[in-house]
Amino acid sequence: MLVLGIETSCDETAVAIVEDGRKVIVNNVISQIELHKEFGGVKPSVAKLAHEEVIDALVEKTLKDAKLSMSEINAIAVTLGPGLIISLLVGFKTAKELAKKYNKHLIGVNHLFGHICSNYLGSELEPPFICLLASGGHTQIINVKTFTEYEILGSTLDDACGEAFDKIGRLLGLPYPGGPNLEKLAKAGNPLAYKLPEAKVNPYDFSFSGLKTAVLRLVQKLPENYNRADLASSFQENITNTLVKKITCAAKEIDTNKIVIAGGVSANKTLRKKLLSLNTFSIFMPDLKYCTDNAAMIASAGYFLRDTNQEAETMDVFAKDPSSISLKALSKASL
Ligand code: KG4
Ligand code: ZN
């Protein structure tokens, strides 16, 4: 089964074709990072226009790269949320028009569910497993029971993990996005240079605002020429230790030895190394190009969701998230 995936929830316009949820035929991503740098974060109106400018051509290019025509595509999967609503609507409108024109099954995908599915790409991973999802907007520990059944065990109480990287990156004077740039700077630093606090919250929840405030206070006390690499490295050490501690604790609790990570922060090499050094667990992580936003993960998710009932008011397994939207609700939205 060939699924064409479309993703426009934030600052990446992405189109991909995936076979049977696992084999990536083509994965195209146009990043808007350069456009948003001057704002120090994603500017929704700029993102919407940039998606609109390239989406049709990117669908065409993806089919051409795959040497396929729309008649050979079996279904279209599109991100419904969570994300920037005006950006999401660009992808949804394109997917809806394509589905109508070529009479294809349209499958709505929750972006976070998509991130989990990035782990099925090019792998043989099967549920059950425990998943740490750490992106720019969310941080969750999810008990993945089957390909379509989940239970969220814990979430962040304030900032998302990627958001904390982005904010500290900004404090260190690094360009947007903070995560990958902070990781680069941290390479030259000493992870034990500064002792930073760890939030005291229940085992599966996260809180990063205290850490952020502690770093801010520390910087205010330090001389102007303090060692930025040391601070970046100490921050990264603290946050990755917390992530590893919580996900291993949850794995033990639900009695699984399969730990899976997903979302932009799963690209962090210190986190990946720490997890891989644990010899009592099997660790699964997406290929680096599938950690951050892409459409291959959405096409994969579409494959696994192909038989689910999307007419329900919410097909959303992450329905607790107020920014998530159902296919039905989006279909009614004026485009
Ligand atoms: O999953 P993603 O591409 O978009 C969302 O769904 O939010 O995640 C983006 C987030 C950003 O906050 C970015 O700084 C962070 O992931 N990120 C990283 C790394 N690469 C991306 N954080 C730490 N280390 C990285 N290497
Ligand atoms: Zn994402």
Side-chain angles (χ1 to χ4, degrees), residues 190-196 218 222 226-227 230-232 234-235:
N190 172 9
L192 305 175
Y194 298 103
K195 196 166 161 33
L196 297 166
L218 181 63
L222 288 170
Y226 73 93
N227 188 323
D230 276 354
L231 187 56
S234 301
F235 167 79

Side-chain angles (χ1 to χ4, degrees), residues 111 115 135-137 162-163 165-166 177-180 183 263-265 267-268 291-293:
H111 182 79
H115 272 301
S135 70
E163 192 182 355
F165 268 98
D166 293 340
E183 179 176 12
V265 180
N268 187 278
C291 290
T292 45
D293 291 350

Side-chain angles (χ1 to χ4, degrees), residues 7 9-12 82-83 111-112 115 133-138 160-167 176-184 235-236 239-240 262-272 288 290-294 297:
E7 154 66 41
S9 68
C10 193
D11 59 343
E12 262 96 23
H111 182 79
L112 307 179
H115 272 301
L133 192 150
S135 70
H138 296 80
C161 187
E163 192 182 355
F165 268 98
D166 293 340
K167 284 179 178 167
Y176 170 82
N181 290 310
L182 190 147
E183 179 176 12
K184 254 182 244 157
F235 167 79
Q236 180 177 254
I239 212 159
T240 53
V265 180
S266 68
N268 187 278
K269 295 199 187 66
T270 300
L271 174 66
R272 293 167 84 96
L288 283 181
Y290 303 130
C291 290
T292 45
D293 291 350
N294 64 86
M297 69 185 196

